[in-house]
Every structure is written in C-alpha cells, then in structure tokens.
Amino acid sequence: MIEKKQEESPVDESGLNFVEQEIKADLEAGKNGGRLNTRFPPEPNGYLHIGHAKAFIMDFGAAEKFGGTCNLRFDDTNPQKEDTEYVEAIKRDIHWLGYDWGDRLYYASDYFPQLYDLAVRLIKEGKAYVDEQTSEEIAAQKGTPTVPGTASPYRDRPVEENLDLFERMNKGEMEEGSMVLRAKIDMASDNMHFRDPVMYRIIKTPHWRTGDKWKVYPMYDFAHGQSDYFEGVTHSICTLEFVPHRPLYEYFVKELADESYCPRQIEFNRLNLTYTVMSKRKLLQLVKEGLVNGWDDPRMPTLCGLRRRGYTPASIREFVKKIGYTRYEALNHIELLEHSVREDLNKHATRVSAVQNPVKLVLTNYPADKTEIMEMDSNPEDPEAGTHEMPFGRELWIEREDFMENPPKKFFRMSPDKEVRLKGAYIVKCTGVKKNADGEIEEIYAEVDFDTRSGLPGADRKVKGTLHWVAVPTAVKVEVRDYDRLFAVENPSAEEGDFRDLLNPDSLKVRETVYVEPWLAERAKTGDHYQFQRLGYYTVDPDSKDGHLVFNKTIGLRDTWVKIAQKNK
Ligand code: ATP
Ligand code: MG
C-alpha cells in the first residue's frame, strides 16, 4: 500500500514547489530563449477528475506565475475510445476551475502528418521497421529488466520493404493487429521502453476529427514529445509513472530539436484519494454499468461530480495547494478535501433553517392565529450578509433527534420539563408528548416564555440548548440527498479482487420530506450553496424543478480532518 504522507510539501522561501523551482532555474539560465510554455494533455476518453485538476493547476498555474503560456492539447490518438462529449466536458471543467488556454487549443491529431513524415524518415535512416508478429509474440520477446530481449525476425527488413509496408498499413490494406511499426533501438537496454517500442498501430475506426484519412495511429511515446516540440512547449509536466518513459521522450525529441529549443519533461506525484478510485477506466465502468448516476454523480471524484455535490473551485484549488507536489507517491485523506470545502462554504454560504427528520412541536400557550416575523442572521461570518425574515407560530417542525423522553445526563436538547431556546425566537419548556398506537411520538408540547424573545431584554436568560425549527404553515417540503463514501474501504485500488465489490452500498440516502423556511424556497437556484443550521452545507441540485427543490448534502459541519492531522503529527 502507498505510504500516507500528509505533511505540507517542500516549497522554497518564495513558496515555489520543486517543479516551479526547476522552471525558474531554466528561465534564469535563458533556456529556450527564456520562454515558458506548458501544456495540459488530456485524452478525451473520459471526464476529468480531481487528480487531473492537480495536474492542470500545475500546468496553468506555473504559466501564470512566470508570465508564460499553457496549451490545452487533446491527446486524441486513439479513435476507438474518444468522443466529443468528453472534449466539451473537459473544456467546461477547466474553465470552471478558473483557467483558460486562450487561443492555444490544440489536438495531437493536428500533428499526424508531421508524425507520419518523421516515421518515414526514421525508416529511411534504418531506425524503424515493420514487425508482423502478434502483440503476444512481441511481449514475449521483451525480456525482463535483468534479461535482455530477443530481436524480432523482422528487425533487419530492408528499408524499401519497410517503407512499402508502412504505407500500405496506412492505406488500409492490412488488418488491425497484423503488423506494427517499431523503433529499432536496443533490445538489451536497461530501460524496457527502449526495447524497440511500438511507434504505430493499425486502427480502422474512423477518427472524430480526421475521419478515415489515417489507418495508422501513433502510440503515446511516439506522439507526446514530438507534439510538445511542434507546439513550442518548453516544460512538459506529468506524473511519476512517466519517469521511465523520459529517456524515450528525449530520444524522439532529439530527432527534431536543437540547442535553441528543446522541450523538457518533469514529473510529480499523482493524486490518490482515500475511499475513491482515480482510474478513468474504473470510473467509466461505474458510469456504464449504472453503479452511479452518471459522470456527474455527486459521489464521483470527477470535477463535474464535485461541482454538483457543492464543491467550489476555490476549495479544490486550496486542497491542491495544501497537498502540494512531491516526487513521492502518496495517498491523501479525503477528509482534507472535505475540510477545504467546509472552510470555504463557512465563509460564503447563507445560513437557513431546515428540518430533515421532522416532528411537530405545538406551543400550547401561543395563539393559533398569531404569526411573528423573526430576524435571522444570514451569515455571521460575513458582515455584509445581514439578516432575513422567518415566520414563527404555534406549530413548528423540529428534528426528531432533538427530543428525548428519558434523556441521559448530558442531553441539553428538548426533554420533558426542560427549557431550550428556539433559535432566533423564544425559550420554551416541554410539557408533554402525544404518541400514536405504536408508541411513536406524534407531537411534542411546550410552553413559551414570552419574556425571552430574541433581541429583547429577556433574551439574556441563558439555557444550554438551542434548536433550529421551521414554522409548519409556511414550511416548504424539499428533497435532500445525503451521501457517504463511494467505497467502503480506504484504498480500493490496493485491494485484491473486483473493485466493484468494494462499493459502499449505503452511499446515497434520499430524504423525501425535509422542511425548509419559505425564504430559502423562494430564492434557491441550481448550484447555490447554503448552510442548513446545525446540519451541514447543502447545494441545490440541477434535478430541481418548479415547486420541487432538490438539495445535495455537500458536507457536514463537524471537521473530521483536524483529528487526523493531529494523529499524523
Ligand atoms: P489514461 O491515460 O489511463 O487514460 P489518465 O488519467 O492518465 O488516464 P490523461 O487524459 O492521459 O488520463 O491525463 C491527462 C494528464 O493528467 C496527464 O498528464 C496525467 O499525468 C495527469 N493525471 C492523470 N491522473 C492524475 C492524478 N491522479 N493525479 C495527478 N495527475 C494526473
Ligand atoms: Mg494518461
């Protein structure tokens, strides 16, 4: 299992992480004419997740910091898996986090002609050959890190034959999988990626941009470095799994570059998060098999899922800043991400009253025909927020959990003969309950102390408990979706067996009958964030329709991160 590292990552005295320090050094040394150009290269075969956000915050962030530019380049080299739906979603999510590529939008498919020309040149120079073996045969000949590989019987094919076959591969004369173009490098290299890596394979599925123009498609290793070069990228920042690919990146780039300009690859640690998975393949499977309700299911680690759940761009950027960038693989606690959104919403979310598990409270000495308007603080953390009005009356909804008939000693909420304050209103004393035939409490009774109205002199009188409430006649019924961890285990990727068996069966709980104050119901719009007093932060879901509001619980109020952080010290 990956070691857990939660400490703040090393940054220098001016707050630069190690990648930024390298960039700064290159700029100061005048490399590439003192130019900085990064790129974010997603493959449009799925939606972006928070791990991708860590990557593009680095790419766009470093460019911003040093006055450089950052390209968005779609790595569209495999038409079998890619789709424009993903292209649009990826653009939307990058914009949402506050970054923009301006007019620097590129596609690896733009470079298919140049890549093809380079391949032809390498064939002519005796540096590439067409191999007719199956992928299994090629794999079997690879050897191991300590045992050299075996040369393919096609390795020394004459140049003319290679050129002819490669051309016919691209014309569609050959079957998929029947042959590949390989670089002729070194079957005994210490670096497995140098053992005659595949450069091109045959794919006959039409490409969404280039149609059926091409029948051969470049492999990642033959496309990425050169695409960087064609685009003028100076710093190609990626994750640690590409460290062993770097020599090959440099090998192909050297075929093009000179001293005046050469792109450079730098690697940092991926984001891994507890109780979820980051593999696009697995996320796609969850979506395709209906194990979640789409890419933007609020339980997903995708950016659209987090957005729907109620995560803010600022909270995600802050989280990424906190975990930082290192050269060591780590597993980060999801509680730190939750902590970040809690902190952000605490500053900005409007406070409202909502009762999620309602039971009726009747104030027996309060006139049935009377309504008072109470002033409620809209956000004590924000001096600009002011107050809003909330109707009060004889019948109120309160939380079932806020009443106990036979309470333990330290229960300071409502129980017979005890006083509590109704938030922003009066102190009341419980006088009894009514039960149904099954012994369930149907109504709770209490008497108001009229001298204790909030804002008036008697309000000074202190009682231990304060409860939230919503007046029955004006309450609006809404739906609330409560979420728990998507997976039941901390690190699903480290477990044996099928990852789907590790899903938490109780990750979604729908509450059909939650009562909210009328002021909220009038103003709530999709994407708005609120704090439901004493319950947590909630965000309006796009499923909301006229007359039927749906809220996602973004996160509870209790900070579970502090405890973990202390334990880790
Ligand atoms: P795959 O290549 O298997 O389809 P991927 O998640 O690597 O999946 P890409 O579209 O290639 O998908 O990713 C784009 C960029 O995002 C890459 O540079 C990659 O290094 C980076 N990236 C992907 N996952 C993470 C992660 N968990 N943490 C940080 N960066 C990531
Ligand atoms: Mg990738």
Side-chain angles (χ1 to χ4, degrees), residues 164-165 168-169 172-176 178-179 202 204:
D164 175 60
L165 284 174
R168 287 165 57 198
M169 277 166 70
E173 289 179 26
M174 314 300 186
E175 289 312 306
E176 282 188 20
S178 63
M179 50 186 77
I202 302 167
K204 292 192 172 174

Side-chain angles (χ1 to χ4, degrees), residues 361-368 394 429 431 444-448 450:
L361 172 69
V362 180
L363 304 174
T364 50
N365 62 342
Y366 196 93
R394 177 183 164 93
K429 186 190 214 167
T431 54
I444 301 168
Y445 302 109
E447 283 180 358
V448 176
F450 286 98

Side-chain angles (χ1 to χ4, degrees), residues 139-190:
Q141 289 168 352
K142 265 263 146 112
T144 68
T146 49
V147 178
T150 316
S152 161
Y154 300 98
R155 198 168 196 263
D156 293 315
R157 219 193 255 285
V159 168
E160 286 315 314
E161 211 176 297
N162 282 320
L163 282 176
D164 175 60
L165 284 174
F166 186 49
E167 203 171 291
R168 287 165 57 198
M169 277 166 70
N170 194 37
K171 279 191 182 143
E173 289 179 26
M174 314 300 186
E175 289 312 306
E176 282 188 20
S178 63
M179 50 186 77
V180 292
L181 183 72
R182 293 177 74 179
K184 191 171 175 178
I185 309 180
D186 180 2
M187 286 307 290
S189 173
D190 294 343

Side-chain angles (χ1 to χ4, degrees), residues 41-43 52 75 220 239 241-242 270 280:
E43 184 177 356
H52 296 116
D75 180 23
Y220 174 89
T239 36
E241 71 269 24
F242 293 103
R270 303 173 69 83
K280 271 200 269 189

Side-chain angles (χ1 to χ4, degrees), residues 328-369:
Y328 306 99
E329 289 296 356
L331 178 64
N332 291 107
H333 288 283
I334 197 163
E335 288 86 351
L336 181 57
L337 176 62
E338 295 170 344
H339 169 83
S340 303
V341 74
R342 196 181 283 112
E343 296 243 293
D344 191 38
L345 293 181
N346 180 42
K347 282 182 256 159
H348 303 115
T350 301
R351 273 57 170 173
V352 293
S353 296
V355 175
Q356 65 176 0
N357 188 15
V359 63
K360 197 182 276 183
L361 172 69
V362 180
L363 304 174
T364 50
N365 62 342
Y366 196 93
D369 55 358

